[in-house]
């Protein structure tokens, strides 16, 4: 009845975080200011849901395109950027999906659902990506698509611009530059957009994780092709209306992201001062750290009521690594004190 390879999979697990300081999922820790929250609720209360949503979303796409000086027909909207990853993997030529590892798990997971082979290039212990090796591997294994998370999740580093440019301008298949962490990073890659080069973004990390809204930026014809595998009405009415309203207040969210960046840098300094703890550089809203014993540290933090992501099981370069989402200053102080309490 169900494909054997699907039966063999486990469903995506989300840890139970009830009652805990939640630093495992790269969310913005700051709620909406009260006045904006009230205005938003009033708008929602006046929203009708007995009709299907706006299917084309031309105005919303126009508003989003304008943020990067692009046109509405260069924007494709997804129910989170996860859905866009799925659309891309459904629509692109047959052939493998090539990725550096470790990277964001959905590229591999969705490829498996769609029976698309996955080709991986392991990063070295400094998380360096060799563009020539990735191109060689992709060519040899006949890859159709390369996903590059910039910055990368879970390592937090940004590949050098030259690395991204070389891959984008040399590979003949589709290159997806995933900028999920754009609000916290030094640069974007929109200048690399080409018929075979797409940029992925999300509003999740900026503060709207619960709305589920992501977007792809690309060449108008490529976007039009991908749009053919978009489910009708994939963005619900409440999300669409919320996005219109909240985009008008984007400076407020940008300020929150700036505070997160400052907190991230403060956390890295404080973590570096703890014996036996090595934080890695980050351009995202999380910090990857290596500790003496990640399993023990994870359990200790959990017992202290703090949930982070344990990456130890993920394999060699992530041995004894934890991914710490940047929270509020109070949450980060609690986290750092708890880490100090368990450091050797
Ligand atoms: C690199 C990367 N891309 C995409 C996503 C998915 O974001 P969303 O589906 O919330 O838009 C994530 C989430 O953690 C991510 O780390």
């Amino acid at each position: 009845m169900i494909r054997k390879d699907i039966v063999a999979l486990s469903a995506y697990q989300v840890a139970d975080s009830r009652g805990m300081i939640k630093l495992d999922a790269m969310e913005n820790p700051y709620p909406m200011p009260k006045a904006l929250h009230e205005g938003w609720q009033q708008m929602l209360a006046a929203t009708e849901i007995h009709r299907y949503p706006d299917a084309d979303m031309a105005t919303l796409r126009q508003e989003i395109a304008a943020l990067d000086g692009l046109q509405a027909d260069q924007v494709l909207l997804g129910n989170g950027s996860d859905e866009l990853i799925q659309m891309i993997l459904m629509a692109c030529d047959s052939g493998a999906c090539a990725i550096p590892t470790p990277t964001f798990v959905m590229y591999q997971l969705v490829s498996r659902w769609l029976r698309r082979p996955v080709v991986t290039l392991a990063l070295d212990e400094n998380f360096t990506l060799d563009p020539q090796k990735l191109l060689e591997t992709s060519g040899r294994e006949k890859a159709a698509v390369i996903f590059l998370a910039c910055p990368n999740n879970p390592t937090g580093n940004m590949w050098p611009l030259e690395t991204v440019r070389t891959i984008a301008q040399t590979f003949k298949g589709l290159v997806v530059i995933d900028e999920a962490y754009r609000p916290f990073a030094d640069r974007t890659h929109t200048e690399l957009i080409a018929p075979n080069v797409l940029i992925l973004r999300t509003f999740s990390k900026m503060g709207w994780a619960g709305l589920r809204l992501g977007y792809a930026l690309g060449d108008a014809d490529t976007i039009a092709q991908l749009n053919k595998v978009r489910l009708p009405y994939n963005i619900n009415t409440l999300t669409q209306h919320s996005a219109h309203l909240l985009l008008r207040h984007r400076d407020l969210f940008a300020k929150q992201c700036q505070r997160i960046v400052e907190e991230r840098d403060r956390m890295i300094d404080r973590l570096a001062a703890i014996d036996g703890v090595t934080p890695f550089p980050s351009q995202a809203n999380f910090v990857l750290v290596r500790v003496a014993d990640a399993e023990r540290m994870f359990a200790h933090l959990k017992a202290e009521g703090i949930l982070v992501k344990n990456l130890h099981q993920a394999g060699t370069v992530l041995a004894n690594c934890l991914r710490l989402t940047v929270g509020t200053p109070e949450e980060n102080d609690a986290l750092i004190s708890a880490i100090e309490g368990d450091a050797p």
Side-chain angles (χ1 to χ4, degrees):
M1 188 180 67
I2 304 284
R3 266 167 40 195
K4 285 201 175 58
D5 56 321
I6 300 288
V7 173
L9 290 176
S10 310
Y12 188 85
Q13 295 293 327
V14 177
D16 183 0
S17 59
R18 276 172 298 177
M20 302 189 79
I21 296 181
K22 191 173 184 318
L23 301 177
D24 66 328
M26 288 84 83
E27 293 144 331
N28 174 344
Y30 300 108
M32 252 187 249
K34 198 162 174 287
L36 178 56
H37 198 270
E38 280 170 10
W40 175 62
Q41 284 189 321
Q42 278 166 19
M43 181 279 295
L44 288 179
T47 300
E48 297 285 9
I49 54 158
H50 65 115
R51 302 281 185 201
Y52 281 110
D54 175 355
D56 181 52
M57 301 176 279
T59 313
L60 185 54
R61 288 187 291 110
Q62 174 56 48
E63 287 168 17
I64 291 173
L67 302 175
D68 282 274
L70 300 174
Q71 303 301 316
D73 61 4
Q74 295 187 273
V75 176
L76 180 69
L77 298 178
N79 192 334
S81 47
D82 283 349
E83 194 193 30
L84 293 159
I85 294 168
Q86 189 177 36
M87 287 188 227
I88 292 165
L89 286 167
M90 283 196 293
C92 86
D93 271 340
S94 57
C97 166
I99 46 171
T101 53
T103 191
F104 183 47
V105 292
M106 288 318 267
Y107 312 139
Q108 183 146 14
L109 208 55
V110 178
S111 294
R112 279 208 214 138
W113 300 342
L114 297 170
R115 291 186 162 145
R116 185 182 284 280
V118 176
V119 181
T120 59
L121 178 72
L123 299 175
D124 66 16
E125 66 277 11
N126 301 315
F127 311 134
T128 312
L129 173 62
D130 181 335
Q132 293 308 335
K133 273 196 192 153
L134 185 65
L135 287 166
E136 274 161 34
T137 313
S138 305
R140 193 177 57 243
E141 304 291 333
K142 301 196 173 26
V145 55
I146 295 178
F147 280 89
L148 280 183
C150 302
N152 192 35
N153 171 16
T155 53
N157 59 318
M158 179 72 106
W159 323 112
L161 178 56
E162 217 25 60
T163 299
V164 183
R165 188 185 286 135
T166 303
I167 294 166
Q169 294 181 345
T170 314
F171 187 60
K172 297 290 175 250
L174 198 57
V175 178
V176 183
I177 302 173
D178 184 344
E179 295 188 348
Y181 300 94
R182 168 71 190 115
F184 319 100
D186 284 353
R187 60 161 212 262
T188 174
H189 303 84
T190 43
E191 86 269 14
L192 296 176
I193 288 175
N196 70 324
V197 181
L198 289 168
I199 308 288
L200 271 194
R201 300 260 186 84
T202 177
F203 289 110
S204 296
K205 315 298 171 186
M206 193 183 90
W208 314 354
L211 290 181
R212 306 301 294 133
L213 186 62
Y215 58 102
L217 301 174
D219 172 81
D221 185 55
T222 311
I223 293 291
Q225 301 311 323
L226 290 169
N227 190 44
K228 296 176 186 173
V229 298
R230 183 174 64 84
L231 285 171
Y233 318 119
N234 64 328
I235 311 298
N236 73 72
T237 307
L238 300 181
T239 295
Q240 290 189 29
H241 287 197
S242 300
H244 285 299
L245 178 102
L246 297 179
L247 275 174
R248 295 207 299 273
H249 297 273
R250 59 183 181 280
D251 288 355
L252 184 152
F253 294 98
K255 278 195 191 109
Q256 291 184 339
C257 291
Q258 188 47 42
R259 279 163 75 187
I260 292 170
V261 167
E262 285 158 19
E263 267 302 292
R264 174 193 73 201
D265 295 343
R266 182 180 78 93
M267 266 172 88
I268 291 179
D269 288 347
R270 286 205 52 197
L271 289 161
I274 306 173
D275 264 355
V277 176
T278 310
F280 293 94
S282 171
Q283 286 216 16
N285 61 344
F286 60 84
V287 180
L288 186 78
V289 287
R290 176 161 291 126
V291 295
D293 182 342
E295 298 287 357
R296 201 189 66 196
M297 181 67 84
F298 178 77
H300 165 73
L301 294 176
K302 210 168 164 190
E304 298 279 316
I306 303 172
L307 185 66
V308 299
K309 181 82 178 168
N310 182 3
L311 296 164
H312 181 64
Q313 298 89 344
T316 45
V317 287
L318 294 177
N320 284 314
C321 284
L322 300 173
R323 189 187 62 199
L324 316 174
T325 299
V326 179
T328 62
E330 298 71 30
E331 289 173 334
N332 301 332
D333 286 342
L335 172 70
I336 289 164
S337 301
I339 291 177
E340 282 167 341
D342 196 59

